[in-house]
Amino acid sequence: MQKERTIFVIGHKNPDTDSICSAIAYAALKNQLNGNCFVPKRSGEINNETKYVLEYFGVDVPEFIGHVGTQVSDVTIKSTPPISKEFSLKKAWNTMRDLGDATMPVVQDEKLEGIISVKDIATANMDVYETHILAMSHTSYTNILETIDGKMIVGDQNDIVTTGKILIGAANPDLLESFVDEGDIVITGNRFESQLCGIEMNAGCIVVCMGAPVSKTIQKLAIENNCKIISTPHDTYMTARLMSQSTPVGYFMRKDGLITFQKDDFVSDIKTVLSKIRHRDFPVLDHEGNYCGMLSRRSLLDTEKKKIILVDHNEKAQAVDGIDEAEVIEIIDHHRLGSLETTMPVYFRNQPVGCTATIIYGMYLENSIEISPPIAGLLCSAILSDTLMFRSPTCTEKDRTAAEATAKIAGLEIQDYAEKMFRAGSCLGDKVPEEIFYQDFKKFSGSGLSFGVGQISSLDQEELTQLRPKIAAYMESIKGSCDILFFLLTNILTESSELVFVGEKAKNVVETAFCGTIEDNWIFLPGMVSRKKQFVPKILNGIQQVL
């Protein structure tokens, strides 16, 4: 049965309370309707107000996701079992043949040490003419026994070959003496004289072929001279041929310059590497460097994009990075139609209300799904935040009705709770200007001009007044990020804002869009509380007239 794929529900960058709470509430609704595969995420840091809301209702902060492009973890990773560097070439070859894999990872304590491929094994068999290969590679006698189907008659099979060469004892004893050196492995048949010669010349091991019996005399002499004896059912030719295949893969594996990928790597980034390196399979590691599996070139052909549901925005500039590489399947929003394009038709619900949470509340009712007290509290908080406790001109009767209904379920007294929530959000003393500026910041475009609008709301006018010059100085330092930058310092109690602006055409646009006295780089705007319904439309109109 195919595993259900996770679908992320995400709000906009620099998320506000509506963006976070709506993502959590909508994911909960979708899970009740369609199964538990919907997960709320955030694409930025939460502000103090949102933190207060989540803590108040005992709800976890959604995990951060900074990019929704397809990652290696989204691709089918082959669970190729690793092998040890002590494996013989023959055992590695048999494993590859049985699994149908051309490359095997060599792993020790979950860490990748190297890789061995069919090509590497073929090279070892065809290009290696060194008769001392077993000693050079420190081959274990266990490997030799396994490779030649041997049995240790004399000696310890756990020992390692450290000296000597491989030699076939085909010559007569007189001639053989001139070829055998100390530590050699002598392959012979049922020839007492050759076996005795090898022992007398201090050979390290005598390999007796064809399963021939080994006399008690030879065994006794071998023990006295510290010479091992192995019996194999194979003939001399086959034994000699197999012997070199007992070398450990650790000697031949590739361990330098390995091309590996991490599960968090983006497919768009690694395709460049894959186009240049013609390997079939590549090891995949986790963030701790532990081996996870193998990524094949073929598996990238079946790559599936991340599935995303967007809430509280439909502007590409406000969306999480990598949105073009993901599959957007739904959008739930209450803003103007933006620049986001999709490759396929999507479920798009956009209503002229003051808060996305109001739309989601209606969807709970439409589907006859009971709203739990924590979810009701999140929905109510989002509505109170976005409508400035019903003071914003964006607020509709639907918003008020939804807030009152969810407040009742959550056991909230709206006036008291809203004031506590706003005061928690307006504690700005511990934040630097950069944090405050991006706490609720969105980018827009109009008439070929890009502009960004940040906003902070507070119940304390003195706090806003002290903050204004600091924000202005910070905006000057980053004014190249957009053609024009705006920042609204909104007083919830007086329902007014001080607008700070920077940019070459900023002053002309502000003079055209608003009536009032401009003081250097700011202007007081009575009655201005809504960025969406009041500020952005007037700015877009001002840009059109100036340009």
Side-chain angles (χ1 to χ4, degrees):
M1 187 175 179
Q2 190 173 8
K3 184 181 177 182
E4 228 176 0
R5 291 202 67 205
T6 300
I7 299 173
F8 298 138
V9 185
I10 311 176
H12 52 75
K13 289 181 180 178
N14 309 305
D16 56 11
T17 300
D18 183 26
S19 180
I20 294 293
C21 292
S22 288
I24 296 172
Y26 194 56
L29 173 61
K30 296 291 287 186
N31 282 331
Q32 292 191 65
L33 292 173
N34 302 306
N36 296 315
C37 61
F38 296 85
V39 178
K41 293 283 186 176
R42 59 182 173 88
S43 55
E45 294 300 319
I46 63 171
N47 58 40
N48 286 343
E49 179 187 278
T50 307
K51 184 183 297 184
Y52 173 83
V53 170
L54 296 180
E55 290 178 353
Y56 189 95
F57 295 104
V59 178
D60 293 334
V61 177
E63 289 187 357
F64 173 79
I65 184 168
H67 199 291
V68 291
T70 303
Q71 294 171 280
V72 171
S73 56
D74 299 317
V75 180
T76 301
I77 300 174
K78 295 195 301 181
S79 55
T80 304
I83 62 175
S84 167
K85 64 182 178 181
E86 306 303 330
F87 269 39
S88 67
L89 290 179
K90 184 173 185 291
K91 187 175 181 180
W93 167 263
N94 290 339
T95 303
M96 291 181 188
R97 180 196 60 201
D98 295 342
L99 295 175
D101 286 320
T103 305
M104 296 296 296
V106 182
V107 174
Q108 180 72 29
D109 297 328
E110 297 188 58
K111 304 298 182 183
L112 182 73
E113 294 194 322
I115 60 173
I116 189 84
S117 67
V118 170
K119 180 181 177 181
D120 297 326
I121 294 177
T123 300
N125 282 326
M126 300 300 293
D127 287 354
V128 176
Y129 296 93
E130 177 57 68
T131 57
H132 290 78
I133 188 63
L134 297 189
M136 293 169 62
S137 61
H138 289 160
T139 301
S140 69
Y141 279 98
T142 301
N143 274 12
I144 295 174
L145 294 172
E146 183 181 59
T147 303
I148 66 174
D149 302 311
K151 179 181 178 182
M152 184 69 79
I153 305 299
V154 174
D156 186 353
Q157 67 178 22
N158 294 314
D159 285 348
I160 304 295
V161 180
T162 57
T163 60
K165 62 183 179 295
I166 303 170
L167 178 68
I168 297 177
N172 62 57
D174 293 336
L175 184 60
L176 187 61
E177 287 182 356
S178 62
F179 289 102
V180 178
D181 295 319
E182 183 177 350
D184 283 355
I185 296 176
V186 180
I187 302 172
T188 184
N190 187 22
R191 301 176 65 178
F192 182 88
E193 298 82 359
S194 296
Q195 296 170 11
L196 180 60
C197 177
I199 294 172
E200 289 179 342
M201 297 305 296
N202 294 317
C205 179
I206 304 297
V207 180
V208 181
C209 299
M210 301 296 290
V214 181
S215 70
K216 296 293 184 181
T217 302
I218 290 296
Q219 292 185 42
K220 181 180 178 183
L221 290 172
I223 293 172
E224 292 173 354
N225 288 272
N226 197 27
C227 177
K228 295 176 175 60
I229 296 180
I230 294 174
S231 174
T232 175
H234 300 297
D235 60 29
T236 306
Y237 166 74
M238 184 59 68
T239 301
R241 183 166 172 264
L242 291 173
M243 188 69 74
S244 62
Q245 296 179 22
S246 64
T247 53
V249 297
Y251 186 76
F252 293 99
M253 70 182 184
R254 280 173 284 149
K255 52 189 176 182
D256 296 323
L258 296 179
I259 305 298
T260 64
F261 300 117
Q262 290 201 335
K263 295 181 75 173
D264 294 338
D265 287 344
F266 291 99
V267 171
S268 57
D269 294 334
I270 71 174
K271 280 185 175 179
T272 303
V273 177
L274 294 178
S275 65
K276 297 177 180 178
I277 308 297
R278 305 306 299 176
H279 298 164
R280 287 189 191 177
D281 302 299
F282 300 85
V284 177
L285 313 177
D286 64 16
H287 65 282
E288 294 179 349
N290 296 324
Y291 169 75
C292 300
M294 301 292 282
L295 175 68
S296 69
R297 301 173 67 90
R298 180 177 296 179
S299 65
L300 293 179
L301 300 176
D302 302 321
T303 299
E304 289 192 43
K305 296 180 178 181
K306 285 189 173 74
K307 294 183 182 294
I308 307 295
I309 294 176
L310 301 180
V311 296
D312 197 32
H313 70 299
N314 68 94
E315 295 265 5
K316 181 179 177 180
Q318 298 170 17
V320 60
D321 290 343
I323 194 65
D324 287 337
E325 300 175 38
E327 180 185 353
V328 178
I329 61 173
E330 290 187 31
I331 301 174
I332 312 295
D333 192 22
H334 68 123
H335 296 94
R336 71 178 186 129
L337 298 184
S339 58
L340 189 66
E341 296 181 358
T342 61
T343 56
M344 299 286 288
V346 302
Y347 178 79
F348 186 14
R349 184 153 179 170
N350 186 280
Q351 294 179 228
V353 291
C355 182
T356 305
T358 301
I359 303 173
I360 295 172
Y361 166 75
M363 296 174 78
Y364 269 90
L365 298 185
E366 292 166 10
N367 290 279
S368 300
I369 299 296
E370 183 178 352
I371 305 176
S372 66
I375 293 297
L378 298 186
L379 292 172
C380 182
S381 301
I383 297 169
L384 295 176
S385 176
D386 253 24
T387 66
L388 298 178
M389 201 171 67
F390 315 130
R391 289 180 171 87
S392 172
T394 61
C395 182
T396 67
E397 191 58 36
K398 288 184 177 181
D399 295 299
R400 186 181 291 274
T401 300
E404 291 173 349
T406 50
K408 184 176 180 180
I409 297 171
L412 298 176
E413 197 286 307
I414 287 181
Q415 182 72 31
D416 178 64
Y417 173 75
E419 288 185 7
K420 290 178 180 177
M421 181 182 73
F422 286 133
R423 289 195 183 281
S426 63
C427 293
L428 307 175
D430 61 338
K431 293 183 177 292
V432 298
E434 180 180 5
E435 291 179 280
I436 297 171
F437 182 80
Y438 286 111
Q439 183 166 300
D440 185 7
F441 178 81
K442 294 182 178 179
K443 285 185 177 182
F444 303 88
S445 61
S447 301
L449 205 66
S450 65
F451 64 97
V453 186
Q455 185 175 23
I456 193 75
S457 300
S458 177
L459 301 172
D460 188 341
Q461 181 57 49
E462 183 177 351
E463 183 179 50
L464 294 175
T465 300
Q466 292 176 353
L467 178 60
R468 190 183 65 235
K470 298 177 183 178
I471 286 292
Y474 177 72
M475 290 170 66
E476 282 290 340
S477 70
I478 61 163
K479 62 183 179 182
S481 59
C482 285
D483 295 319
I484 305 176
L485 289 174
F486 300 104
F487 194 83
L488 291 163
L489 298 107
T490 301
N491 188 316
I492 298 172
L493 296 177
T494 62
E495 299 182 33
S496 62
S497 295
E498 294 176 0
L499 171 66
V500 181
F501 53 87
V502 299
E504 185 180 347
K505 296 182 173 63
K507 186 173 182 179
N508 290 341
V509 171
V510 172
E511 286 177 333
T512 304
F514 304 104
C515 296
T517 304
I518 295 180
E519 304 284 347
D520 295 328
N521 60 350
W522 70 278
I523 184 173
F524 176 71
L525 300 176
M528 176 65 68
V529 293
S530 171
R531 172 175 52 192
K532 178 184 72 173
K533 194 165 185 178
Q534 294 176 299
F535 184 76
V536 172
K538 289 188 176 182
I539 286 297
L540 287 171
N541 183 59
I543 290 174
Q544 289 177 351
Q545 294 187 49
V546 168
L547 297 181

